[in-house]
Amino acid sequence: AALGGVVAALAGAEAMTHAADYSFTATAILNTEAILHAAGVILALILLGLAAPALAVAAGRAGRWGGWALAAILALSALAWAGDLMLAALQRDLIEITALRVRIVAWASAAAPALVYVLIAVAVGLAVIGFLRRGGAAVHHRSAAVDVRLGQAHRLRARRWRDLALACVALLGVGLGYQEVWASRPPTLSEAERATPDARGNVVIPIAPVADGNLHRFDFIASDGHRVRFFLINRYDESHVRMGVVFDSCMICGDEGYIQDGNEIICIACNVHLFRPSIGKAGGCNPIPLDHEIVGDAVVIRAVDLEKGAKFFSEVVEIEVKDPVNGHTLTNTRAPFQYEFRGKTFFFDGQASYDAFRVSPETYAADTVSRLWRAHGYAGSEG
C-alpha cells in the first residue's frame, strides 16, 4: 500500500515544483495575482493530501503492478534529478564540460516538463488497475448473511477510494493542463492601428478616443521598412487627461512590447509591472518616451521623430524604395545591395550605385536625420 503513497508523493513533488516555479516568481509584490497563485498551490496540496491515501490503497490492490510503477517512477525521477545535478556541477566547474554531458543535460531539461504528466498517468493507471481487481482476503464467518454484508461494505469502500483517487488526480491533471495550454501562453500584443503622416509630415491623433485609460497601439512604417510601434495611454482618468506617448519598446529589454493589466503596464520581456501614471517617464523598464505636442484636442507626432526611433525595432516589412543614386524603384527586402548610413538602411539595385554611395554617402543623403540607437540604460545615442 505504501507504493501508491510514494507515487503520489513523487507526482506531487513534480507537479508542485512545476506550478510553484511560476506561481511564486510571476510577481514580486503581493497583489491579486500573487494571492490567486498561492491559493492554487494550497488547493493542489489539499488534493495531493487526499490522493495519497487513496492511491496507497489502490497500489496495495494492484499487486506487482504497483512495484513496476514505483520502479519506473523512481528511474524517471532519478534521471531528471541527475540532469539537474550535472547542470549545477557544470555551471560551477566541478566537472569538465564534454559533449556527452551537455547532451545529457539538454535531454534531461527537455524531458523534465513532461515528467509530471507521466507521473499523473501512472497514478491514474494504478487507481484503475487497483480498483478493477477483486482485492481483499476472503472473509469467513458463521453467518453467510454477515459475509455478504461485509463483502458489500468492502466493495463500497473500495469504490469510494477509487473515486476519490481518480477525482483528485483528474483535478490535478486538469489544473496542469490549463496551465500548459492556456495560462502559460505567452502574452500577445493587441492589433496596432496604422499611423499615416499628413501633408505636413505629422501624425495627428485625436485625444478623445484614446482618453479612456486603455493602451492604444499604433504603428508607423519608416522609409526603409522598419515597423515602428508606439502607444498612447491616458495616465489618469477622463476628467484629468494626461497623455503618455511612448515607443512600444524598452531601452533595456528591446522591442517585445507592453501589455496592459488594469492600472498596470507590463513589459512582456521581463514581466516588470509599471504603474500607469509613470508611462512617459524615462528610465528603467519604462517604454521609451516619444517626442510629441498637444495641439488643441489632438496629439501631434512628427514623422521625423518616428523615423528616429526605427532602430528600436527589428521588424522590417516589405515596401517599395528608391535607389538613392540612380532613382530606380525596387523592393527593400529583395534589394541585392544595402548600406546603413546614420542608422537608416539604403537599398541599391546594382554594384555601381552601391559603390558610389559608399564612397560619398553625404552626396546622396546629406539630409538624412540620425536615428536613435537602443542602449543598455535609458539614454539613446544618435547613429
Side-chain angles (χ1 to χ4, degrees), residues 220 222 226-229 247-249 255 288-290 302-314 343 369-374:
F220 166 83
H226 276 88
R227 181 171 176 249
V228 179
R229 300 192 316 270
F247 289 108
D248 193 20
S249 180
D255 63 348
I288 303 167
L290 173 57
R302 297 189 307 161
V304 66
D305 290 321
L306 290 167
E307 285 273 353
K308 283 184 179 181
K311 295 298 290 185
F312 296 146
F313 299 90
S314 57
V369 177
S370 295
R371 289 179 170 176
L372 299 171
W373 292 74
R374 189 172 72 86

Side-chain angles (χ1 to χ4, degrees), residues 308-331:
K308 283 184 179 181
K311 295 298 290 185
F312 296 146
F313 299 90
S314 57
E315 182 183 359
V316 176
V317 301
E318 185 175 285
I319 62 172
E320 286 190 347
V321 294
K322 286 190 175 182
D323 184 318
V325 176
N326 58 32
H328 293 170
T329 299
L330 66 158
T331 302

Side-chain angles (χ1 to χ4, degrees), residues 99-129:
L100 176 60
R101 289 169 181 166
V102 171
R103 283 198 297 270
I104 292 173
V105 169
W107 176 87
S109 299
L115 178 59
V116 62
Y117 298 103
V118 174
L119 294 174
I120 289 177
V122 171
V124 172
L126 275 180
V128 172
I129 293 172

